[in-house]
Amino acid sequence: MKGLWLTVDSLCNYLQTLDNLITLKRLDEEGYKLPSDFTFVASTWGDHLMEFALATIFECTPVERSLTRKTSNGSYETPELVLPLDGYEDWWRLRDKYPEAKELEEDMSSLEFDCIYGGSGISIRFDQDGMIVEDVSDTTYCHPIMDDLFTLKRMWIESLNFWRGKELQDGSNERRMENCDSEAAHEVSQCA
Amino acid sequence: MDGNVESLENQVNFDTDCFAQSLASRVLDNAEAEQKEKMLEIIDLVCYSDKTLVGDINLKELDREILEAAFEELQEYQSDEHGEEDTDLVNEGQTIVEINRIAGMDIHFEHFKPKHVQRKTRRFF
């Protein structure tokens, strides 16, 4: 039997590995397919599966870019992830057409993504390139926010489907109105 | 006099039933034993095993609650390199401490711990 001498570094790596395992377990429970050649062991501190989890849940490849923030002490750059979601172009068009759709963006952004083990959670916002995930590097562990990520996915799908449906319904109503108008005009012309 | 001895004997009489009950209360029931075993498996996987890939393990067999309990344990573990006086107390009951104790590693660890700074005698003026 072997014994363990745990330093701060080894403890951090084991915690990160456990975080990875719990995250993968959650994804497996939700029915996401995981590649068998994926490494779950963390090699360094901060080596968590956030990007992989986001890519798996939202079925897209996150793109990293840097955001320049200006403060009274000067400007600094922070990394953020852009999720080019399937159907996002539709969403960007629909939110312009229906201003109420923006309220759903606020609802999605207001999810807490709170990491109970310290560190700040991620935050979400929307721009024309996709859903933006901020503060990934400030998030210590991934598994405590998995519930919120699954909720976000459900909210996103429901919101997109609702406003797509609304547009279709409005379109068919408009067509029906146009048909009625043209029929009425035809009858008037016949009477005349 | 005889009466006193008799009453003393009654007092120190070893209560075997009570002792048996006490022993039985310390024995893990099947569910507890299974939980401990799973916890050991997870600690073994994370800290001792050479497995690194998702394909090396069966995620379905891992219990999420026990994974989270193992995470909580390590989260509360005070690193051995600190050598603080209360480290052992804080870590008491941790699965890793129990494994180390079984392996006899706790005796070896004593050599690595930095010597405690001798406390100066407090003077009250």
Side-chain angles (χ1 to χ4, degrees):
Chain A
M1 170 128 6
K2 291 178 280 185
L4 268 189
W5 168 264
L6 290 181
T7 63
V8 173
D9 276 353
S10 57
L11 257 179
C12 285
N13 281 353
Y14 293 147
L15 276 167
Q16 204 81 78
T17 299
L18 268 169
D19 179 51
N20 291 351
L21 274 174
I22 303 170
T23 303
L24 291 166
K25 175 77 185 167
R26 294 300 314 274
L27 290 170
D28 185 56
E29 282 173 348
E30 291 287 320
Y32 292 101
K33 188 137 179 66
L34 303 170
S36 59
D37 59 347
F38 192 82
T39 305
F40 67 84
V41 174
S43 52
T44 54
W45 176 237
D47 189 14
H48 52 60
L49 291 181
M50 180 71 76
E51 205 170 318
F52 174 78
L54 288 168
T56 307
I57 294 169
F58 292 98
E59 296 163 81
C60 64
T61 309
V63 180
E64 190 174 321
R65 70 181 188 191
S66 58
L67 173 74
T68 307
R69 292 184 194 274
K70 285 179 184 168
T71 64
S72 53
N73 294 328
S75 60
Y76 65 98
E77 292 196 337
T78 51
E80 60 181 19
L81 289 176
V82 183
L83 302 181
L85 303 169
D86 186 32
Y88 195 82
E89 285 171 12
D90 246 9
W91 176 257
W92 199 250
R93 185 179 52 75
L94 288 164
R95 73 194 284 283
D96 281 341
K97 189 172 178 181
Y98 302 103
E100 307 97 287
K102 287 179 189 168
E103 287 173 19
L104 290 168
E105 282 186 0
E106 283 168 23
D107 288 345
M108 286 187 260
S109 306
S110 67
L111 287 167
E112 282 188 358
F113 302 106
D114 193 21
C115 181
I116 52 170
Y117 299 105
S120 57
I122 57 168
S123 53
I124 299 291
R125 66 184 170 81
F126 295 80
D127 80 7
Q128 61 182 6
D129 298 324
M131 190 189 283
I132 312 294
V133 185
E134 292 178 322
D135 304 321
V136 171
S137 53
D138 296 340
T139 307
T140 323
Y141 300 111
C142 187
H143 79 268
I145 64 165
M146 291 301 281
D147 279 331
D148 279 346
L149 287 180
F150 294 136
T151 307
L152 178 66
K153 171 73 183 289
R154 277 190 285 274
M155 287 172 84
W156 159 250
I157 297 286
E158 281 170 18
S159 307
L160 183 63
N161 287 343
F162 175 81
W163 290 104
R164 274 176 169 172
K166 169 87 174 149
E167 189 182 43
L168 276 174
Q169 199 179 359
D170 288 354
S172 61
N173 285 346
E174 276 169 24
R175 273 194 300 278
R176 205 175 299 135
M177 289 293 285
E178 280 170 14
N179 288 343
C180 285
D181 285 350
S182 60
E183 279 172 19
H186 182 68
E187 281 172 17
V188 169
S189 65
Q190 274 188 339
C191 289
Chain B
M1 182 69 182
D2 285 348
N4 284 343
V5 170
E6 215 170 276
S7 65
L8 192 66
E9 277 177 352
N10 283 340
Q11 277 175 25
V12 295
N13 196 14
F14 186 71
D15 190 340
T16 47
D17 288 342
C18 186
F19 181 68
Q21 277 173 12
S22 163
L23 266 183
S25 71
R26 287 165 194 276
V27 175
L28 297 175
D29 62 33
N30 283 345
E32 269 184 302
E34 198 181 329
Q35 293 253 317
K36 289 269 181 196
E37 204 175 311
K38 283 181 179 172
M39 175 72 99
L40 280 174
E41 280 172 9
I42 285 165
I43 297 282
D44 178 69
L45 172 66
V46 173
C47 307
Y48 300 86
S49 160
D50 296 329
K51 293 174 180 171
T52 56
L53 303 175
V54 171
D56 296 338
I57 56 172
N58 186 353
L59 278 171
K60 302 244 179 321
E61 278 180 3
L62 295 178
D63 187 315
R64 177 160 45 114
E65 279 182 17
I66 296 175
L67 277 170
E68 286 169 350
F71 183 90
E72 292 273 343
E73 268 212 9
L74 280 188
Q75 176 76 14
E76 284 165 19
Y77 194 93
Q78 188 149 355
S79 103
D80 293 308
E81 66 193 338
H82 282 176
E84 288 171 7
E85 283 177 22
D86 58 351
T87 304
D88 293 341
L89 262 179
V90 171
N91 293 337
E92 189 61 42
Q94 289 256 10
T95 310
I96 286 180
V97 172
E98 295 303 323
I99 295 170
N100 285 340
R101 194 165 284 153
I102 294 165
M105 290 303 287
D106 53 327
I107 300 162
H108 299 296
F109 287 175
E110 289 302 317
H111 300 297
F112 297 114
K113 287 186 178 175
K115 286 179 183 172
H116 299 306
V117 180
Q118 284 187 334
R119 284 182 180 170
K120 288 179 184 171
T121 315
R122 293 178 72 187
R123 289 179 185 168
F124 300 96
F125 295 101

